[in-house]
Amino acid sequence: MTVQSLDSNATPVVYEPPQVIAGETPLRTACSPPSGAIFQLGLTTVTCSTTDAVARTDACTFTVTVTPPPKLSATTFMAFGNSITEGKNAFSTAVSDNYPANLRAMLAARYTTQTITVLNKGLGGEHTPEGSDRLETELDAARPDALLLEEGVNDLLGGDPSKVVQVVDGLRDMVQKAKSRGVRVFLATLIPARAGGTPPRGDGPLLLIPVANAQIRLLAQSEGVTLVDLYEGFAGSPDPYIDVDGLHPNELGYRKIAETFFNAIKATMEGPLSPASFGLVRNMPTAAFPFEGVR
């Protein structure tokens, strides 16, 4: 069995007693270390032995692995973008369960020995040229370890295909500004939209989003930054994640964005949990024993 320490120290471990097959009762079973004992970090072998009423004995072993809590190589994240980062719904009302808030809760729940900060620097209605200008000030003021960049759909609201180039150029400029300051970048694709919303905000960018996303994926590769593919996280579909306006996420959508960023952060910034020996789990063998043994 594997148990995670909450504070990188030794921890008590409770395990089920071994199963004894057959034998003459009463049976006496003892394990060392016993269930409930303090186990050190790493792998410990537990030996359990049983004696029956006619003094037949046998033993089995299993391992208990205690791992330290996971840690991130960064603790201060800045979520930067438009109203989707800011956390607005279809009616331009800011919601409390926005994606940065959800993400901070997810990170705090996993990385219990670290203080995680997720700054929400979303600004509704922003286009990428404006965002590029604003980003410098925000980066210099906050000095985050990592930038979570979601921007560009407002450039496409008019349905003008030429604006895809503006989106990619603006994102490239923002990525390079962050990299020049030593900030790790997580670059998001645009989420799906739906036509015919109330009000109909998704109509203009609907067909341009996949085109822009193809360029954003190439941009992440060429700049060597982490791609957070929100579009694929939504399975390329607005349902059930997009609000009635066809553009902004609903509660499920904001949580999905947070989960997608969380998975990218965990995959790229989480340090090794333990030495190579950690994580080995061995089943207790069935012993060759006159009364069939212990397991």
Side-chain angles (χ1 to χ4, degrees):
M1 61 186 299
T2 300
V3 176
Q4 186 181 103
S5 168
L6 297 179
D7 56 7
S8 296
N9 294 317
T11 188
V13 175
V14 176
Y15 55 82
E16 295 294 328
Q19 179 184 1
V20 182
I21 307 299
E24 296 291 333
T25 59
L27 304 169
R28 298 188 306 276
T29 299
C31 296
S32 180
S35 177
I38 302 298
F39 283 69
Q40 299 297 320
L41 292 179
L43 187 146
T44 301
T45 299
V46 177
T47 301
C48 295
S49 61
T50 295
T51 303
D52 75 348
V54 293
R56 292 178 297 185
T57 63
D58 198 17
C60 64
T61 63
F62 65 98
T63 58
V64 173
T65 302
V66 178
T67 65
K71 289 189 176 183
L72 286 175
S73 58
T75 57
T76 303
F77 298 85
M78 188 169 78
F80 187 91
N82 48 43
S83 58
I84 294 172
T85 293
E86 186 179 6
K88 288 186 175 179
N89 61 18
F91 306 102
S92 298
T93 300
V95 299
S96 59
D97 57 346
N98 51 67
Y99 105 71
N102 275 313
L103 176 61
R104 194 210 65 80
M106 294 175 187
L107 293 171
R110 179 166 178 80
Y111 305 102
T112 56
T113 63
Q114 296 177 286
T115 300
I116 306 294
T117 302
V118 181
L119 304 170
N120 188 337
K121 297 298 181 180
L123 181 61
E126 186 172 73
H127 293 66
T128 51
E130 302 158 359
S132 183
D133 291 339
R134 181 170 69 93
L135 180 62
E136 286 187 286
T137 301
E138 298 288 8
L139 286 174
D140 292 340
R143 298 187 180 276
D145 301 316
L147 171 68
L148 314 178
L149 181 56
E150 171 280 316
E151 190 87 274
V153 73
N154 287 324
D155 303 58
L156 308 179
L157 290 179
D160 182 356
S162 68
K163 294 296 184 180
V164 171
V165 175
Q166 176 176 294
V167 169
V168 176
D169 287 346
L171 290 175
R172 179 181 292 105
D173 192 47
M174 285 186 263
V175 167
Q176 291 176 351
K177 286 175 178 177
K179 287 172 60 179
S180 70
R181 290 165 170 79
V183 177
R184 178 76 174 267
V185 179
F186 291 80
L187 176 62
T189 56
L190 308 181
I191 62 176
R194 184 196 309 111
T198 307
R201 293 186 175 131
D203 296 46
L206 178 64
L207 298 180
L208 298 179
I209 286 174
V211 179
N213 282 341
Q215 295 301 311
I216 292 172
R217 294 183 186 105
L218 291 174
L219 173 62
Q221 183 178 9
S222 66
E223 290 291 335
V225 299
T226 302
L227 177 72
V228 182
D229 205 331
L230 299 181
Y231 190 86
E232 290 300 318
F234 281 47
S237 172
D239 299 310
Y241 303 114
I242 299 299
D243 212 340
V244 295
D245 66 341
L247 183 68
H248 288 90
N250 55 25
E251 182 179 348
L252 285 175
Y254 277 122
R255 181 163 183 84
K256 176 59 71 173
I257 292 174
E259 288 175 351
T260 309
F261 271 107
F262 174 84
N263 290 335
I265 292 168
K266 178 176 177 289
T268 60
M269 304 193 80
E270 183 175 296
L273 290 178
S274 59
S277 61
F278 286 8
L280 294 175
V281 179
R282 299 169 186 160
N283 294 323
M284 288 183 277
T286 303
F289 188 39
F291 60 84
E292 296 188 46
V294 278
R295 296 176 184 170

